[in-house]
Amino acid sequence: MRAFTAAAVQIAPLPGPLTAASVAANCAKAVEWVERCVAATGAELVVLPESASTGFTPGVGPDELWDLVSGVPGPVTEPLQDVARRLGVHLVWGTYERGARRGTVHNSAVVIGPSGDVLGTYRKTHPFCTEMRSRGGWVEPGDEVVVVETDLGRLGVVICFDGDYPELARIQAVRGAEVIARPSALLRSADLWELTSRARAYDNHVFVVGANCTGTDPAGVLYFGNSLVVTPTAEVVARAASHECWVSARLDPERAMASLTPGSSVPHVFDHLADRNLDLLRRYADDLVRPAATSFPHAAPRPTDVVD
Amino acid sequence: MRAFTAAAVQIAPLPGPLTAASVAANCAKAVEWVERCVAATGAELVVLPESASTGFTPGVGPDELWDLVSGVPGPVTEPLQDVARRLGVHLVWGTYERGARRGTVHNSAVVIGPSGDVLGTYRKTHPFCTEMRSRGGWVEPGDEVVVVETDLGRLGVVICFDGDYPELARIQAVRGAEVIARPSALLRSADLWELTSRARAYDNHVFVVGANCTGTDPAGVLYFGNSLVVTPTAEVVARAASHECWVSARLDPERAMASLTPGSSVPHVFDHLADRNLDLLRRYADDLVRPAATSFPHAAPRPTDVVD
Amino acid sequence: MRAFTAAAVQIAPLPGPLTAASVAANCAKAVEWVERCVAATGAELVVLPESASTGFTPGVGPDELWDLVSGVPGPVTEPLQDVARRLGVHLVWGTYERGARRGTVHNSAVVIGPSGDVLGTYRKTHPFCTEMRSRGGWVEPGDEVVVVETDLGRLGVVICFDGDYPELARIQAVRGAEVIARPSALLRSADLWELTSRARAYDNHVFVVGANCTGTDPAGVLYFGNSLVVTPTAEVVARAASHECWVSARLDPERAMASLTPGSSVPHVFDHLADRNLDLLRRYADDLVRPAATSFPHAAPRPTDVVD
Amino acid sequence: MRAFTAAAVQIAPLPGPLTAASVAANCAKAVEWVERCVAATGAELVVLPESASTGFTPGVGPDELWDLVSGVPGPVTEPLQDVARRLGVHLVWGTYERGARRGTVHNSAVVIGPSGDVLGTYRKTHPFCTEMRSRGGWVEPGDEVVVVETDLGRLGVVICFDGDYPELARIQAVRGAEVIARPSALLRSADLWELTSRARAYDNHVFVVGANCTGTDPAGVLYFGNSLVVTPTAEVVARAASHECWVSARLDPERAMASLTPGSSVPHVFDHLADRNLDLLRRYADDLVRPAATSFPHAAPRPTDVVD
């Protein structure tokens, strides 16, 4: 990885019922924000929120959603590919994606390179319970981890609730990720957004660039922004309020693990990746892949409970 | 799990060179603190710091340390077993433990039941780099996960730097842990202590009872206390300063996951254990057990850098 | 003060241009939320957000706003007075208030008692720069501190940006406030919302009940919720996400300052009010009331910059 | 103010009973740490902990303490004056100071310029209750606010528990302080240390450089370090663990208030100093200087309760 400036752009989707026109307008709005952000910050990587072409809760069923979006690449990514090419920057763009047949929709984050090409498409592997088509929602989970080699460094991607799952970020880090983008439309507290973003960064010594939605989606669900950038030693170096805005920070590999804590004279001598006890993990590998559930009583999800 | 009061007792080891007398005195001091804590709080589970019979950095080599401690059960646990029996409480007690042959020392946390019996012995599986005998230190890592069925609930154990490794707490949670004790002698910032303790609690929806050392160990290394209790939704409900003291909190399974955030009317509908994407984890299981390292430059550990 | 349950209700104003009908609908919506909250929690004090009858940025000038709201008591408070009487609870209700002549509007928080009577009306004394009529906005600042004696305890009120000013909360605490309500429509980060709410609670050893707006106001400005309840030792005991919801907590005077830190065996022996150095304050009292400004360059406020 | 690097050095006093030799050794140790810190960081301002020449709890009465220390300037400051002159840096040095007659001791922070001259001596105006000679302790409170004009900028000073009192930092800011040094031997949680340091920085838009003691003092009281540097918008940009170490950060007036939150595109348009409601403060000025006390029950301080 080389030093570069990364930004998280946090924007609101258009309110009101989702239409082909509002999808196009959401894409156009994102393009405009990317242009302004890059002009102001010189960012070479810009991360946008989850499902930014539509808003998270589409207010329509999976068939109608499938009709409104497109495959990748396609109309839901082309305006972003254009702006990436025009500005010579990398983008991580959150959009619903048409799957193989009508009604199969993925919640995807598309990594676009400075050539405008799609370098990788990550499909959310941990949709929230109410988001899952199998549980009354509209999304089919993905089954692939994506880490993209770019000329900035190696870039991994998780989407919102995915960031609660330490195994996913770990797999990406083992596969070389140095920066993890987290496009989000998170619906818990800002405290939990910060906690999980910092934890994933520190667990794996990666930068996390978290772009969280703001405003209201087509179904009237409310978002809180507070996008952030976290370093490999868990320091929050950029943080938004709830306005439509961007935040940016310089990501410098030389300084990433220079000291135990920010600005300290005590060196950082350990490595959370290298210092894993692999013998232990091999011995208990089965536990990492077998079903389990909390014993603590909690509510059953209903389709109307939407929490990212 | 049933509702009960848990406490973390944070005490300082005797300063000065380690002797048989100071080991005995550290044990006796712990007993006295347990008695006072239980009398005042009614705690049924008391967690003590890591290596509390000696202090973390023993200031002697592995052979001498082996001579000064004992097997488990043995003199380094018997005073604690006595007090557990006398008071009818559960203890998690951090002590170095004699291994099979001279020079083989484990950094152990011993779970003692209200009968005074040792219910389980967990040996730190992620000793800090400078602590490892293989890298110039004094400890052999353990290779077993411990989750103990008690009449309070199922109790897992991690020790200090172990708490940085999400896989370990995950394995314990999959094996049923509802409370994870974290005896510690942590030497990073209080901010990172809180971050990692909260992350492990939230990753797995478990209570974390973290007892961190305070004072100075035989080698002159300094500790900061700030012991804490965290709920399954990541709320810190008890927190110490740096004094010798205890902190306690009521752990109530009925309230553990009653709401999305503390005191909220929004229910908690998801389960980090049940909602893992097991297909994905199986597909990438090899990544979870293969070597990796950060690409970010950092200092090499030297025997004199002690940061557990 | 006696022990009781307090709640913060966080709701979104109706979007779209402000009309007499939307003001009435916002009031009716608040009533409904109060009913549901009290039924579910038994709260005896419910705090609602700032300017909840309209939304913070009204999108109209001071004359039009004056026309749309009313004096206090009046149509903008009566529905809340009714529900307070019906349920026998205390409310703190944020609403713009008609002043003496057309165009004079105050940003007020009305304390309503279980009889339905208005026990006090606090007018925001620190409107945000862009909110001030004298600087292009629509609000005239108040000039009175309000602390109301109720049968729950003594209740002070600050509104949003007021909470950044330690002197105001101090004056209220000196005048006996035990709980400070902070109706808000804050537009900075959740981190700063928490920082200032915790600081005011701890500075003065008071409970702070902060109800922050969510959603979008008539001018399209976005809010983030994250309402909270803080204890006199700065512990956050309730915390919302960004949904429309409530959070509640038990406020217990016996436990408020029982220990130095939450759950600790170390007693709380100091009192930030009693331990002020009054001789010093008298000597430098002039400095507390004379003009000053930061030397650090920052942007000039423009009417279009709205930050609470 | 111009841009410069500031550092907080956190060191432990010599343990054991206080003697003339240990006072001299503590001073010599501080000098050595200043030398190493300045060589490594280029810091032009170095802040050291409270009472660093002795440790906070001296373990002797006020008469004996008076005998062991000196006036300022004098033997307790001269080694530091020498090193400041030799390196051409500014220091803030915490030391007990001989008052006018035997038994009169102040808890002082001495600002030393690059010429080696004492530029100002601040005497703690809010000693902790158990520290006060009038309540069984050993310190006479000061009655003067100190803001020193230096060629780095205007430098204010508060000592430890002083930082809990917003009026004191406010008075300093009104008198022009741009950086407030907070030498400390704080004995509450790291969470409260961070809260009060951030609050004072944000209340007044000043940098706070907090150097907190670590280790054990002559009376056996334990400290936790976690020194920090905070910006005028409340961002923690440097943070220590509990080791003896330093932390440093660049303080840049141009960036101090460049954005509403770190790295954000939203400008910072308000000024907590300029935007105070002075009419209100004048009206209620009497409340700011009259006695008050919390109504919440709490422990009475005893001489043996030491909680700085």
Side-chain angles (χ1 to χ4, degrees):
Chain A
M1 176 180 155
R2 64 172 171 81
F4 67 93
T5 295
V9 163
Q10 84 184 11
I11 46 179
L14 291 190
L18 198 61
T19 62
S22 63
V23 173
N26 284 326
C27 294
K29 178 178 176 177
V31 166
E32 185 206 320
W33 276 87
V34 169
E35 286 170 337
R36 291 173 49 203
C37 170
V38 170
T41 65
E44 296 185 84
L45 169 66
V46 180
V47 180
L48 294 123
E50 181 182 14
S51 54
S53 61
T54 55
F56 177 70
T57 331
V60 296
D63 286 351
E64 292 72 25
L65 183 56
W66 192 92
D67 294 342
L68 285 165
V69 296
S70 73
V72 170
V76 290
T77 61
E78 282 157 7
L80 283 296
Q81 294 176 263
D82 287 347
V83 73
R85 184 184 311 115
R86 203 158 63 243
L87 303 177
V89 300
H90 298 75
L91 302 180
V92 178
W93 166 242
T95 181
Y96 289 121
E97 177 192 7
R98 265 193 197 181
R101 80 189 78 191
R102 189 163 186 251
T104 298
V105 175
H106 300 292
N107 183 339
S108 300
V110 185
V111 182
I112 300 169
S115 63
D117 294 333
V118 171
L119 305 182
T121 300
Y122 171 72
R123 300 183 178 108
K124 193 178 186 182
T125 54
H126 300 81
F128 189 71
C129 43
T130 55
E131 178 190 358
M132 288 267 217
R133 193 178 177 195
S134 61
R135 297 169 81 171
W138 56 91
V139 165
E140 301 280 350
D143 57 7
E144 273 190 60
V145 167
V146 170
V147 177
V148 177
E149 183 91 38
T150 75
D151 67 346
L152 304 173
R154 284 182 299 270
L155 180 60
V157 188
V158 301
I159 300 179
C160 201
F161 192 55
D162 279 332
D164 284 40
Y165 292 86
E167 296 91 338
L168 176 57
R170 179 70 96 206
I171 291 167
Q172 297 192 14
V174 168
R175 295 172 89 87
E178 294 160 314
V179 178
I180 293 182
R182 189 183 187 188
S184 297
L186 199 118
L187 281 165
R188 285 166 285 154
S189 65
D191 173 66
L192 293 171
W193 162 244
E194 180 176 328
L195 173 66
T196 52
S197 295
R198 293 186 72 206
R200 296 300 87 82
Y202 195 55
D203 289 349
N204 299 295
H205 300 312
V206 294
F207 290 98
V208 168
V209 182
N212 194 30
C213 199
T214 190
T216 309
D217 71 21
V221 179
L222 307 171
Y223 299 91
F224 68 85
N226 280 263
S227 294
L228 41 67
V229 179
V230 191
T231 72
T233 54
E235 190 185 5
V236 177
V237 287
R239 187 196 304 269
S242 54
H243 312 75
E244 293 195 303
C245 69
W246 62 78
V247 290
S248 65
R250 187 86 182 155
L251 312 190
D252 182 346
E254 295 303 314
R255 298 187 50 201
M257 293 176 62
S259 57
L260 182 67
T261 50
S264 169
S265 58
V266 180
H268 198 290
V269 297
F270 60 86
D271 175 350
H272 281 153
L273 290 176
D275 296 352
R276 288 171 301 147
N277 184 331
L278 297 179
D279 289 339
L280 183 84
L281 294 177
R282 286 177 190 129
R283 187 168 180 179
Y284 292 90
D286 286 354
D287 287 320
L288 291 172
V289 298
R290 70 177 170 89
T294 182
S295 70
F296 299 124
H298 60 285
R302 295 162 304 162
T304 52
D305 292 318
V306 175
V307 181
D308 171 331
Chain B
M1 175 179 155
R2 63 172 172 81
F4 66 93
T5 296
V9 163
Q10 83 183 13
I11 46 179
L14 292 189
L18 198 63
T19 63
S22 62
V23 172
N26 283 327
C27 294
K29 177 178 177 178
V31 166
E32 185 207 319
W33 276 88
V34 168
E35 286 170 336
R36 292 172 50 203
C37 170
V38 170
T41 65
E44 295 183 86
L45 169 66
V46 180
V47 180
L48 294 124
E50 180 182 15
S51 55
S53 62
T54 54
F56 177 70
T57 331
V60 296
D63 287 351
E64 292 71 24
L65 182 56
W66 192 93
D67 294 342
L68 285 164
V69 295
S70 74
V72 170
V76 291
T77 61
E78 283 155 6
L80 283 295
Q81 294 175 264
D82 287 347
V83 75
R85 184 183 311 115
R86 203 157 64 244
L87 303 177
V89 299
H90 297 75
L91 301 179
V92 178
W93 166 241
T95 180
Y96 289 121
E97 176 192 8
R98 264 193 199 182
R101 78 190 77 189
R102 189 162 187 254
T104 299
V105 175
H106 299 294
N107 182 340
S108 300
V110 185
V111 182
I112 300 169
S115 63
D117 294 333
V118 171
L119 305 182
T121 301
Y122 170 72
R123 299 182 179 108
K124 190 179 188 180
T125 54
H126 300 82
F128 189 72
C129 41
T130 55
E131 178 189 359
M132 288 266 217
R133 193 178 177 196
S134 62
R135 296 168 82 172
W138 56 92
V139 165
E140 301 279 350
D143 56 8
E144 274 191 59
V145 167
V146 170
V147 178
V148 177
E149 183 90 40
T150 76
D151 68 346
L152 303 174
R154 286 183 297 271
L155 181 60
V157 188
V158 300
I159 301 179
C160 201
F161 192 56
D162 279 334
D164 284 39
Y165 293 87
E167 294 93 339
L168 177 57
R170 179 71 96 205
I171 291 166
Q172 297 192 14
V174 168
R175 294 172 90 86
E178 293 159 314
V179 179
I180 293 182
R182 189 183 186 187
S184 297
L186 198 117
L187 281 165
R188 284 167 287 155
S189 63
D191 171 68
L192 293 171
W193 161 243
E194 180 177 328
L195 173 67
T196 52
S197 296
R198 293 186 73 207
R200 296 301 85 83
Y202 195 55
D203 288 350
N204 300 294
H205 299 313
V206 295
F207 289 99
V208 168
V209 182
N212 194 30
C213 197
T214 190
T216 310
D217 71 20
V221 179
L222 307 171
Y223 300 92
F224 68 85
N226 282 264
S227 294
L228 40 69
V229 179
V230 191
T231 73
T233 54
E235 191 185 5
V236 177
V237 288
R239 187 197 301 272
S242 55
H243 311 76
E244 291 193 305
C245 69
W246 62 77
V247 291
S248 65
R250 188 85 181 155
L251 312 190
D252 182 347
E254 295 303 314
R255 297 187 51 202
M257 291 175 64
S259 57
L260 181 68
T261 51
S264 169
S265 59
V266 180
H268 199 290
V269 297
F270 61 85
D271 174 349
H272 281 152
L273 291 175
D275 295 352
R276 289 171 300 146
N277 184 330
L278 297 179
D279 289 339
L280 183 84
L281 294 177
R282 286 178 191 129
R283 186 168 180 180
Y284 292 91
D286 285 355
D287 287 321
L288 291 172
V289 298
R290 70 177 169 88
T294 183
S295 70
F296 299 126
H298 59 285
R302 293 163 305 160
T304 51
D305 293 317
V306 175
V307 181
D308 161 349
Chain C
M1 175 179 155
R2 64 172 172 82
F4 67 93
T5 295
V9 162
Q10 83 184 14
I11 45 178
L14 291 190
L18 199 63
T19 64
S22 62
V23 172
N26 284 327
C27 294
K29 178 177 176 177
V31 167
E32 184 207 318
W33 275 87
V34 169
E35 286 170 336
R36 292 172 51 202
C37 170
V38 170
T41 65
E44 296 184 86
L45 168 66
V46 181
V47 180
L48 292 124
E50 180 182 13
S51 55
S53 62
T54 54
F56 177 70
T57 331
V60 296
D63 286 352
E64 292 72 24
L65 183 57
W66 192 93
D67 294 341
L68 285 164
V69 295
S70 74
V72 171
V76 290
T77 62
E78 283 155 6
L80 283 297
Q81 294 175 263
D82 288 346
V83 74
R85 184 184 311 114
R86 202 157 65 243
L87 303 178
V89 299
H90 298 74
L91 301 180
V92 178
W93 166 241
T95 181
Y96 290 120
E97 176 192 8
R98 264 192 200 183
R101 79 188 79 188
R102 188 161 186 254
T104 298
V105 176
H106 300 293
N107 182 341
S108 299
V110 185
V111 183
I112 301 169
S115 63
D117 293 334
V118 171
L119 305 182
T121 300
Y122 171 71
R123 300 183 178 107
K124 192 177 186 181
T125 55
H126 299 81
F128 188 71
C129 41
T130 55
E131 177 188 359
M132 288 267 218
R133 192 177 179 196
S134 61
R135 297 168 80 171
W138 56 91
V139 165
E140 301 279 350
D143 56 8
E144 273 193 59
V145 167
V146 169
V147 177
V148 176
E149 184 92 37
T150 75
D151 67 347
L152 304 174
R154 285 181 298 271
L155 181 60
V157 188
V158 301
I159 300 178
C160 201
F161 191 56
D162 279 334
D164 284 39
Y165 293 86
E167 294 92 339
L168 175 57
R170 178 71 94 206
I171 291 165
Q172 297 192 14
V174 168
R175 295 172 90 86
E178 294 159 314
V179 178
I180 293 183
R182 188 184 186 189
S184 296
L186 198 117
L187 281 165
R188 284 166 288 155
S189 64
D191 172 69
L192 293 171
W193 162 243
E194 180 177 329
L195 173 67
T196 52
S197 294
R198 295 185 71 205
R200 296 302 85 83
Y202 195 55
D203 288 349
N204 299 296
H205 300 311
V206 294
F207 289 98
V208 168
V209 182
N212 194 29
C213 197
T214 191
T216 309
D217 71 20
V221 180
L222 308 171
Y223 299 91
F224 68 86
N226 281 264
S227 294
L228 40 69
V229 179
V230 191
T231 73
T233 55
E235 191 185 3
V236 177
V237 288
R239 185 198 303 271
S242 54
H243 311 77
E244 292 195 304
C245 69
W246 61 78
V247 292
S248 65
R250 188 85 180 155
L251 312 190
D252 182 346
E254 294 304 313
R255 297 186 52 202
M257 291 175 64
S259 57
L260 181 67
T261 51
S264 171
S265 59
V266 179
H268 198 290
V269 297
F270 60 86
D271 175 349
H272 281 152
L273 291 175
D275 296 352
R276 288 170 300 146
N277 184 330
L278 297 179
D279 289 339
L280 182 83
L281 294 177
R282 286 175 191 130
R283 186 167 179 181
Y284 292 90
D286 286 354
D287 287 319
L288 291 172
V289 299
R290 71 177 168 89
T294 182
S295 71
F296 299 125
H298 59 286
R302 295 161 305 161
T304 53
D305 293 317
V306 174
V307 182
D308 171 328
Chain D
M1 175 180 155
R2 64 171 171 83
F4 66 93
T5 296
V9 163
Q10 84 183 13
I11 46 178
L14 291 189
L18 199 62
T19 63
S22 63
V23 173
N26 284 327
C27 294
K29 178 178 176 176
V31 166
E32 185 206 320
W33 276 88
V34 168
E35 287 171 335
R36 290 174 51 203
C37 170
V38 170
T41 64
E44 295 185 85
L45 168 66
V46 180
V47 179
L48 293 124
E50 180 182 14
S51 56
S53 62
T54 55
F56 177 71
T57 331
V60 297
D63 286 351
E64 293 72 23
L65 183 56
W66 192 92
D67 294 341
L68 285 163
V69 295
S70 73
V72 170
V76 292
T77 61
E78 283 157 5
L80 281 295
Q81 295 175 262
D82 288 345
V83 73
R85 184 184 310 115
R86 203 157 62 242
L87 302 178
V89 299
H90 298 74
L91 302 179
V92 178
W93 166 242
T95 181
Y96 289 121
E97 176 192 7
R98 265 192 197 182
R101 78 189 79 188
R102 189 162 185 255
T104 298
V105 175
H106 300 293
N107 182 342
S108 300
V110 185
V111 182
I112 301 170
S115 63
D117 293 335
V118 171
L119 305 182
T121 300
Y122 171 73
R123 299 181 179 109
K124 192 177 184 179
T125 54
H126 299 82
F128 189 72
C129 41
T130 55
E131 176 189 359
M132 288 267 219
R133 193 179 179 193
S134 62
R135 298 169 80 172
W138 56 92
V139 164
E140 302 279 351
D143 56 8
E144 274 191 59
V145 167
V146 169
V147 177
V148 176
E149 182 93 37
T150 75
D151 66 348
L152 304 174
R154 285 182 298 269
L155 182 60
V157 189
V158 301
I159 300 179
C160 202
F161 192 56
D162 279 333
D164 285 39
Y165 293 86
E167 295 91 338
L168 175 57
R170 178 71 95 208
I171 291 166
Q172 296 192 14
V174 169
R175 296 172 89 85
E178 293 159 313
V179 178
I180 293 183
R182 189 183 185 189
S184 296
L186 198 118
L187 282 165
R188 285 164 288 156
S189 63
D191 172 68
L192 293 171
W193 163 241
E194 180 177 326
L195 173 67
T196 52
S197 295
R198 292 186 73 206
R200 297 300 86 82
Y202 195 54
D203 288 349
N204 299 294
H205 300 312
V206 294
F207 289 98
V208 168
V209 182
N212 194 30
C213 197
T214 190
T216 310
D217 72 19
V221 180
L222 307 172
Y223 300 91
F224 68 87
N226 281 265
S227 294
L228 40 68
V229 179
V230 191
T231 72
T233 54
E235 189 185 6
V236 177
V237 286
R239 186 198 301 273
S242 55
H243 312 75
E244 292 194 303
C245 70
W246 61 78
V247 291
S248 65
R250 188 87 181 156
L251 313 189
D252 182 347
E254 295 302 314
R255 297 188 51 201
M257 292 176 65
S259 57
L260 181 68
T261 51
S264 170
S265 59
V266 180
H268 199 291
V269 298
F270 60 84
D271 175 349
H272 281 152
L273 291 175
D275 295 352
R276 290 172 298 147
N277 183 331
L278 297 179
D279 289 339
L280 183 85
L281 295 177
R282 286 177 191 128
R283 186 167 179 181
Y284 292 91
D286 285 354
D287 287 319
L288 291 173
V289 299
R290 71 178 169 87
T294 182
S295 70
F296 299 125
H298 59 284
R302 296 163 303 162
T304 53
D305 292 317
V306 174
V307 181
D308 170 332

